[in-house]
Amino acid sequence: MAFDLQGWMQPHLLRVEQALSGGIDPAAPAGLGDAMRYAVLDGGKRLRPLLVLAAAEATGAPTLAAALRAACAVELIHAYSLVHDDMPCMDNDVLRRGKPTVHVQFGQAQALLAGDALQALAFELLTPLDGSVPPAVQAACVGLLARASGYWGMAGGQAIDLASVGGQLSEDQLRQMHRLKTGALLLCSVQMGVACGAVISEQTRAAFNRFGEVLGLAFQVVDDILDVTADSATLGKTAGKDAAADKPTYVALMGLQAAQRYADELAGEAMQALADTGLPPEQLTALQGLASMVVQRNH
Amino acid sequence: MAFDLQGWMQPHLLRVEQALSGGIDPAAPAGLGDAMRYAVLDGGKRLRPLLVLAAAEATGAPTLAAALRAACAVELIHAYSLVHDDMPCMDNDVLRRGKPTVHVQFGQAQALLAGDALQALAFELLTPLDGSVPPAVQAACVGLLARASGYWGMAGGQAIDLASVGGQLSEDQLRQMHRLKTGALLLCSVQMGVACGAVISEQTRAAFNRFGEVLGLAFQVVDDILDVTADSATLGKTAGKDAAADKPTYVALMGLQAAQRYADELAGEAMQALADTGLPPEQLTALQGLASMVVQRNH
């Protein structure tokens, strides 16, 4: 019987949404909680949280308590990066997930603070005070998320992106930019899930890392394809933006058809990496399904 | 013999500066490391790092390895908050520590990213991968710093500050704003130092918390006084800014003389809190000296 990805996703998405909503205090000072909730709730595919949960289940996490916190944390980091990325001094975008961006809705100063506070909240969620997550797991997840978010991760990738607008990047440079800007957080999602699971061999860990890296690359290639082929309503953000801004993309570099073939190749590599973990196939079905979804998505 | 605060500070400051410089990779992508180093190095009183180290020594930390990381982490959070606070959409300030602010020097987009990456780096420093800091200490420090930086800490205080410009705050509201905006990070500095030290009684911990709270309040009252009485060259930032922006301050609320008396009162309360820790007086001299410095500083 084929794996029912939607059937797996539905209860997991529900738990993520509930945890995110319960995790952001609406009473935070001076409307800051409202701006943060606006940035995070009622939108987003929650791909990163689902990867955390699927990886934790694949590696036999005893409960999802720690993984659910990691799932929310990585989504808060993702959400804050979108808030700051949309600001006038960065991409100056007014539409996100079909809604006005945070700075349009709440003003630039509040958007800046909401992004800052979302980053802090991610690390707060990873370090509960109630003893529900072992300190070693807390420390491991913080270490992974901080590195994936920082200057040798997402923020560094965005700096390269900024510096490259209108310029020419080689395929290697483009790959480096995306490995940091988008890939690091996707890889980190898999790694945090694994950190919440049972002890595994170094070979299994390496295979999961490979899976996370390839998935991150595939995600970006598909993103570049969608920027050209989808419309704004489907994307929930401004389509054709990268092309208009003369940003380097895989489509610009290799053409649309070759980019599509490349995405399919990467999907195959991701499946192979999962097989290389050596874990029983029935434990890997959710991760397989999510990887397929990344390549086949239309928004 | 009177305690030689300068003699204590000199080697500790040196270690902090070396650790900060060694902790921010200049090779980070697309000039991001340069902007981050510019924001952090060659400036700042390093009050928060010194509080961490003094509190760790007071409570018998076996080595300063963990405390030095916590000292750098809280300074990175402080530095990022200044970078973002100076941006045009916030305070729009062009001078900081006698130098052009980060967005003036590197552009707004890079300043935004540098601030974001400094926050991430703070949590990276708290979670070394080399086994030099016990996971429980890592988790404790991350938990303290994340909460002190976030929406119920520094970021929340800044949101109140933004919302209050031109308005009237009561003394209670003003105290709440500063407790979050400035006080949370100063209290956190003491708490992280204590977390790096030996096990202490609940009574001792409570006294340290009281010390950190009162010190934070005293710091802000003196800040408000200096905004009125010092010139820009001495402050290293634009003097008279709060008054010009019609921001609520203790001076505006209670008058200059009463504010000065209040600062002295708070200094006395801080010394009492230290005595209430029940620790041997010779272990508390550095914290006493730092508290005096906060109240007597001229910049």
Side-chain angles (χ1 to χ4, degrees):
Chain A
M1 202 179 88
F3 175 67
D4 175 11
L5 181 64
Q6 291 304 322
W8 179 86
M9 281 173 60
Q10 203 194 351
H12 288 80
L13 276 173
L14 188 65
R15 290 185 70 174
V16 168
E17 295 300 331
Q18 286 175 338
L20 284 171
S21 181
I24 310 174
D25 186 350
L32 191 55
D34 296 329
M36 292 163 71
R37 292 176 69 85
Y38 181 90
V40 174
L41 304 179
D42 305 321
K45 295 179 286 286
R46 311 306 190 202
L47 171 61
R48 294 158 193 79
L50 290 173
L51 282 171
V52 176
L53 298 180
E57 288 183 348
T59 50
T63 78
L64 286 188
L68 198 58
R69 288 181 170 273
C72 291
V74 70
E75 189 69 7
L76 294 188
I77 294 289
H78 175 56
Y80 111 68
S81 80
L82 299 181
V83 173
H84 282 183
D85 214 27
D86 287 336
M87 285 182 66
C89 68
M90 298 278 284
D91 284 358
N92 194 21
D93 218 325
V94 298
L95 183 68
R96 167 75 65 183
R97 293 173 180 168
K99 299 188 300 183
T101 47
V102 176
H103 68 91
V104 170
Q105 192 75 12
F106 295 92
Q108 286 189 51
Q110 190 78 311
L112 179 58
L113 285 177
D116 290 345
L118 283 170
Q119 180 170 186
L121 185 58
F123 295 105
E124 181 174 335
L125 288 185
L126 289 179
T127 53
L129 306 174
D130 60 6
S132 60
V133 180
V137 174
Q138 293 186 33
C141 285
V142 170
L144 289 165
L145 189 59
R147 286 164 179 81
S149 312
Y151 60 178
W152 283 111
M154 185 183 74
Q158 285 182 301
I160 299 176
D161 194 9
L162 266 176
S164 72
V165 173
Q168 281 296 92
L169 291 187
S170 69
E171 185 174 335
D172 274 357
Q173 292 170 317
L174 187 64
R175 194 188 305 263
Q176 160 78 344
M177 174 181 93
H178 288 311
R179 193 178 61 77
L180 298 174
K181 187 183 170 189
T182 329
L185 221 51
L186 289 165
L187 170 59
C188 173
S189 301
V190 174
Q191 290 174 318
M192 286 200 297
V194 169
C196 295
V199 175
I200 52 173
S201 71
E202 272 316 301
Q203 185 207 321
T204 299
R205 186 183 306 277
F208 274 119
N209 286 345
R210 177 83 191 127
F211 170 74
E213 283 167 14
V214 172
L215 188 72
L217 186 51
F219 181 89
Q220 190 58 51
V221 175
V222 173
D223 223 46
D224 287 354
I225 292 170
L226 291 174
D227 185 67
V228 176
T229 59
D231 58 36
S232 299
T234 310
L235 281 181
K237 62 181 178 182
T238 311
K241 199 176 67 165
D242 294 343
D246 199 14
K247 282 197 176 184
T249 70
Y250 286 100
V251 173
L253 192 80
M254 52 175 61
L256 184 59
Q257 282 196 324
Q260 278 166 332
R261 275 195 305 274
Y262 188 41
D264 290 337
E265 257 175 60
L266 292 168
E269 283 183 43
M271 297 307 167
Q272 184 58 51
L274 284 181
D276 293 345
T277 62
L279 295 178
E282 64 271 21
Q283 286 176 227
L284 300 167
T285 45
L287 285 173
Q288 285 168 345
L290 291 172
S292 297
M293 192 181 74
V294 161
V295 179
Q296 287 157 15
R297 72 202 160 104
N298 66 353
H299 68 283
Chain B
M1 200 178 88
F3 175 68
D4 176 12
L5 181 65
Q6 292 303 321
W8 179 87
M9 279 174 60
Q10 203 193 350
H12 288 81
L13 276 173
L14 189 64
R15 290 185 71 175
V16 168
E17 295 300 330
Q18 286 174 338
L20 284 171
S21 182
I24 311 176
D25 186 350
L32 191 56
D34 296 329
M36 290 162 71
R37 292 175 70 86
Y38 181 90
V40 174
L41 304 179
D42 306 320
K45 297 178 286 286
R46 312 304 190 202
L47 172 62
R48 292 158 194 80
L50 291 172
L51 281 172
V52 176
L53 298 180
E57 288 182 349
T59 49
T63 78
L64 286 188
L68 198 57
R69 287 181 170 275
C72 292
V74 70
E75 189 69 6
L76 295 188
I77 295 287
H78 175 57
Y80 111 69
S81 80
L82 299 181
V83 174
H84 282 182
D85 214 26
D86 286 337
M87 286 181 68
C89 68
M90 300 276 286
D91 283 358
N92 195 19
D93 217 324
V94 297
L95 184 67
R96 167 74 66 182
R97 293 172 180 168
K99 299 188 301 184
T101 47
V102 176
H103 67 90
V104 170
Q105 191 76 11
F106 295 90
Q108 287 189 52
Q110 191 78 310
L112 179 57
L113 284 177
D116 290 344
L118 284 169
Q119 179 170 186
L121 185 58
F123 294 105
E124 180 174 336
L125 288 184
L126 288 179
T127 51
L129 306 175
D130 61 4
S132 61
V133 179
V137 175
Q138 294 186 32
C141 286
V142 171
L144 288 165
L145 189 60
R147 287 165 179 79
S149 311
Y151 59 0
W152 283 112
M154 185 184 72
Q158 284 182 301
I160 299 176
D161 194 9
L162 265 178
S164 73
V165 173
Q168 280 295 92
L169 292 186
S170 68
E171 185 174 336
D172 275 357
Q173 291 169 318
L174 187 65
R175 192 188 306 262
Q176 159 78 342
M177 176 181 92
H178 288 311
R179 192 178 61 77
L180 298 175
K181 186 182 171 189
T182 330
L185 221 52
L186 289 164
L187 170 60
C188 174
S189 301
V190 175
Q191 290 175 318
M192 286 200 297
V194 168
C196 295
V199 175
I200 52 173
S201 71
E202 274 314 301
Q203 185 207 322
T204 300
R205 186 183 307 277
F208 275 119
N209 286 344
R210 177 82 192 128
F211 170 74
E213 282 166 15
V214 172
L215 187 73
L217 185 52
F219 181 89
Q220 189 59 50
V221 174
V222 173
D223 223 48
D224 287 354
I225 292 170
L226 290 173
D227 186 66
V228 176
T229 59
D231 58 34
S232 299
T234 309
L235 281 183
K237 62 181 177 181
T238 311
K241 199 176 67 167
D242 293 343
D246 199 15
K247 282 196 178 187
T249 70
Y250 285 101
V251 173
L253 192 80
M254 53 175 61
L256 184 58
Q257 283 197 324
Q260 278 166 332
R261 274 196 306 274
Y262 187 40
D264 290 337
E265 257 176 59
L266 291 168
E269 283 183 41
M271 298 305 168
Q272 184 57 51
L274 285 181
D276 292 344
T277 63
L279 295 177
E282 63 271 21
Q283 287 175 227
L284 300 168
T285 45
L287 285 173
Q288 284 168 344
L290 291 172
S292 297
M293 191 180 76
V294 161
V295 178
Q296 287 156 16
R297 72 201 161 102
N298 66 353
H299 68 282

